Amino acid sequence: ETSRVRDIQFNVQVPVDTFKLWFPPDSKVRDSIGGVHGKGFMDGDAAETYLRTLDPDRGMPPEIPAPKMYDEQADAKSQISTALIKTKKEHRRVLIQWGENRNAPCIAFYTLCQSDPDIYDILRSEYDVVFVDAGPKNKNVDLAKTYDANITGYPFLTIMDSNGKPVVNQPTDSFKARADKGQSTVVKVGYDKDKVLAFLKKNALAHLKAEDLLAVGLAEAKTSGKMVFLHFGGVGCGACYHLENWMAQPGVAAIFAKDFVEVKIDLGRSNGADVLLQKFSGSQDSGIPWYAFLDSDGKSIASSNSKNGNIGYPAGPDEIDHFRTMLKKAAKNITATDIQAVVESLKEEAKSLAH
C-alpha cells in the first residue's frame, strides 16, 4: 500500500511537514526539506522536482509509504462501539473522521489537527476520535448513512453523543481557508485553524461538577448494592492512561463489575475536581492517578494511599501488593480467584511496560 510522490496531485498540495514524515527519521532528505522550503505545502510535481534536485540520477521517485491515518483492515462498527464505551465513562463525544489514506485533503486536515497545539489539545481532551476508512471505493459509506451522514467529500466529520446519536454531520470544505473573493486557497494555505477550532469548541460537551458525577455513581451503587471505584486522572497523564486501559480490558472489567460502579473524575474537565481529590486523598499533592473504593454512602473503604504515598498505577511489586490488599478489604462478590487474576493481569502489564 504505497504511493508515488508524483501521484499526490488532487488540486490540493501536501503539507511539507507531512511530506517529511514519508522519510525515515534519520533520512538526510527529511532533514533538509524544511530548510529549503520552510513551512508550507508541496504538490506532487514540486515534491518530485525536489527529489530530483537531491539526486539527479534517481529517475522516477521511489515508492514511498503514504502516512496511515486510517486502518484499512479495521472493523468500523467495532471501532465506533469501543469509542462509545469510552465516551460514556469520560463524559465526552465521539468524532468520526471518514476518509482515506491517499486523499490529500485528509492528509492536510490530519496534519493540522496533529500539529496545531490548540486543536490537538481539544481533540485529546473532549473527543474520542475514530478514523473510519472510506476508500478507495466508498467503503463504509452505507455505515455512514446509518448516522445520517450524507458524505459529499473527504474528510467528512460526524460527531455523536455517548449513546451513538449523531449530534452533527459536517463536510470539511467549509473549514478551508478562503481568498478575498471567496475561492478556496487550500492549494496554498490548507485548512483554517480558527474555523476548525470554533467547530470543535461549539460541539464539545459542557464540563460537569465533580460532586455531581460522584453523586450519580453513589446513587447507582446504592440501588445496585455495589460500591464505587472512584478514580481521578487527567489528559496527558501516562499512568492514568495505563490504568484506564487496563481497567477497560474485558476480563478485568468483568471482575470489577461484580462489586463496583466506576466513577472517573478528570482534573481538567470536571469542575471542582481538585477540591474533591484533596477531600478524599487528604493531600494537595497526592498525584494522579489516585483512587479509592467507596461504600454507597461515600465513605472510603480503601485507597491508593500506601505507607509510601499514592501508588498511582500499580506496576511495581509493592504497588501491586497494595492493590491486592485494597481488593481483599472491599470485596463482596469478587472472589479470591478473581483477585489473583487481577494481580496476575497487573504483573503481565508491568512486564509489557518494561519492554
Side-chain angles (χ1 to χ4, degrees), residues 112-312:
L112 173 66
C113 293
Q114 292 294 306
S115 61
D116 183 88
D118 295 327
I119 294 177
Y120 180 82
D121 284 346
I122 193 171
L123 284 173
R124 185 172 63 162
S125 62
E126 302 298 338
Y127 296 92
D128 281 282
V129 182
V130 180
F131 291 91
V132 175
D133 179 42
K137 296 181 179 181
N138 292 324
K139 176 182 175 184
N140 289 315
V141 167
D142 288 342
L143 176 61
K145 290 179 180 178
T146 66
Y147 299 115
D148 302 325
N150 182 24
I151 297 177
T152 55
Y154 300 122
F156 187 92
L157 308 180
T158 298
I159 291 180
M160 297 191 300
D161 64 20
S162 59
N163 294 315
K165 181 180 178 181
V167 175
V168 62
N169 282 295
Q170 178 68 47
T172 54
D173 185 67
S174 60
F175 298 149
K176 293 176 181 177
R178 304 285 168 178
D180 291 341
K181 294 183 179 181
Q183 65 268 32
S184 171
T185 61
V186 68
V187 176
K188 294 182 179 179
V189 182
Y191 289 92
D192 188 308
K193 165 192 171 173
D194 292 336
K195 293 178 181 178
V196 175
L197 194 57
F199 169 77
L200 294 174
K201 287 181 176 180
K202 178 182 178 181
N203 291 289
L205 281 176
H207 293 177
L208 298 179
K209 293 181 180 179
E211 288 279 5
D212 291 345
L213 291 171
L214 177 57
V216 170
L218 289 172
E220 183 180 344
K222 191 175 288 288
T223 300
S224 61
K226 296 182 179 181
M227 297 165 284
V228 167
F229 187 158
L230 172 66
H231 59 104
F232 293 83
V235 175
C237 167
C240 303
Y241 174 84
H242 290 309
L243 177 67
E244 290 154 18
N245 277 354
W246 172 71
M247 290 173 62
Q249 293 179 12
V252 176
I255 291 174
F256 286 142
K258 292 182 177 182
D259 274 334
F260 298 107
V261 172
E262 183 184 348
V263 175
K264 160 73 181 297
I265 304 292
D266 190 308
L267 288 182
R269 300 183 62 255
S270 304
N271 300 326
D274 53 344
V275 176
L276 194 65
L277 173 59
Q278 184 177 346
K279 171 185 174 181
F280 280 102
S281 69
S283 172
Q284 291 183 328
D285 55 359
S286 60
I288 52 175
W290 188 94
Y291 41 91
F293 300 150
L294 312 179
D295 65 20
S296 59
D297 292 320
K299 181 180 178 181
S300 180
I301 300 170
S303 81
S304 57
N305 286 341
S306 73
K307 61 181 181 181
N308 297 317
N310 176 26
I311 65 171

Side-chain angles (χ1 to χ4, degrees), residues 53-103:
T53 64
L54 294 174
D55 184 0
D57 298 325
R58 72 183 295 130
M60 186 68 70
E63 295 278 330
I64 298 175
K68 293 289 186 181
M69 302 163 284
Y70 302 87
D71 185 345
E72 297 170 5
Q73 306 303 318
D75 181 297
K77 288 184 179 180
S78 178
Q79 285 180 291
I80 295 171
S81 295
T82 299
L84 287 172
I85 292 172
K86 290 184 64 178
T87 54
K88 189 178 289 289
K89 180 173 69 175
E90 301 279 356
H91 188 65
R92 298 192 296 207
R93 282 180 167 165
V94 171
L95 172 61
I96 304 175
Q97 181 173 321
W98 311 87
E100 54 180 311
N101 287 314
R102 294 187 186 85
N103 181 279

